Amino acid sequence: MRKCILYGIIFILITGNINGNIPFYSPPGDTTRQQADSIMRKIHLKAFRESDSGRYEKAEILYREVVRLKETYAADDTSRLANVYGNYATLLNKVWKYDESIFYCDRALELANKSDLDEYRNLLIKKGNLLLLIKDYSS
């Protein structure tokens, strides 16, 4: 019964509801960590696809939700949380929300695995580009 409900919720999250709105979701208390991770990955992937397709409003709603879920249910998974923050910062940059984008870029840099030089370097480049856009040359 729980699997049926969980699959129904995942289906609604992936397809959206009848009105096209994205429902907010909190995994039930008995959801396993693996199930919660699966739900968050699917929302993150949908947000990435919406952003890639130019549907920035939908993508922003989805990214806000995946950030909320990650911070609530998987805050200890810092590398994935840093990835979500980095992708969200990229979206915010696309919609000219530079201050908020820099905020999430900084959060991603704080959590990023400094031993993964590619990831860390990409985040630094992303932040540098944002600072150039807002003409904060001294930073």
Side-chain angles (χ1 to χ4, degrees):
M1 178 67 175
R2 281 191 282 172
K3 279 186 179 181
C4 184
I5 292 170
L6 183 63
Y7 290 132
I9 291 169
I10 290 170
F11 177 78
I12 290 170
L13 285 171
I14 291 172
T15 61
N17 66 15
I18 295 170
N19 298 327
N21 297 327
I22 307 301
F24 291 100
Y25 175 70
S26 293
D30 61 347
T31 300
T32 66
R33 174 67 183 261
Q34 184 179 7
Q35 290 168 327
D37 282 344
S38 174
I39 291 167
M40 289 181 274
R41 271 193 307 275
K42 287 179 180 171
I43 297 170
H44 189 191
L45 180 61
K46 178 130 173 100
F48 187 82
R49 286 183 181 154
E50 293 292 334
S51 176
D52 205 33
S53 298
R55 292 185 290 271
Y56 300 129
E57 278 186 36
K58 266 185 152 179
E60 190 172 353
I61 291 167
L62 288 164
Y63 270 120
R64 284 189 194 279
E65 182 63 6
V66 78
V67 164
R68 184 188 72 78
L69 288 170
K70 284 275 188 193
E71 289 175 343
T72 303
Y73 296 100
D76 58 332
D77 190 355
T78 56
S79 80
R80 285 191 185 165
L81 187 54
N83 181 266
V84 169
Y85 287 156
N87 288 341
Y88 188 37
T90 299
L91 170 71
L92 292 168
N93 180 23
K94 288 179 183 178
V95 295
W96 305 295
K97 295 182 179 181
Y98 300 124
D99 290 337
E100 201 173 347
S101 181
I102 289 171
F103 173 78
Y104 281 101
C105 204
D106 285 340
R107 291 181 82 178
L109 281 167
E110 289 172 12
L111 296 175
N113 182 358
K114 291 176 181 63
S115 63
D116 183 352
L117 294 178
D118 287 337
E119 177 187 352
Y120 195 71
R121 183 191 66 229
N122 290 340
L123 286 168
L124 284 173
I125 291 169
K126 184 181 297 189
K127 183 175 181 186
N129 288 333
L130 285 167
L131 293 170
L132 286 173
L133 280 171
I134 63 170
K135 298 181 176 137
D136 184 356
Y137 302 120
S138 62
S139 295

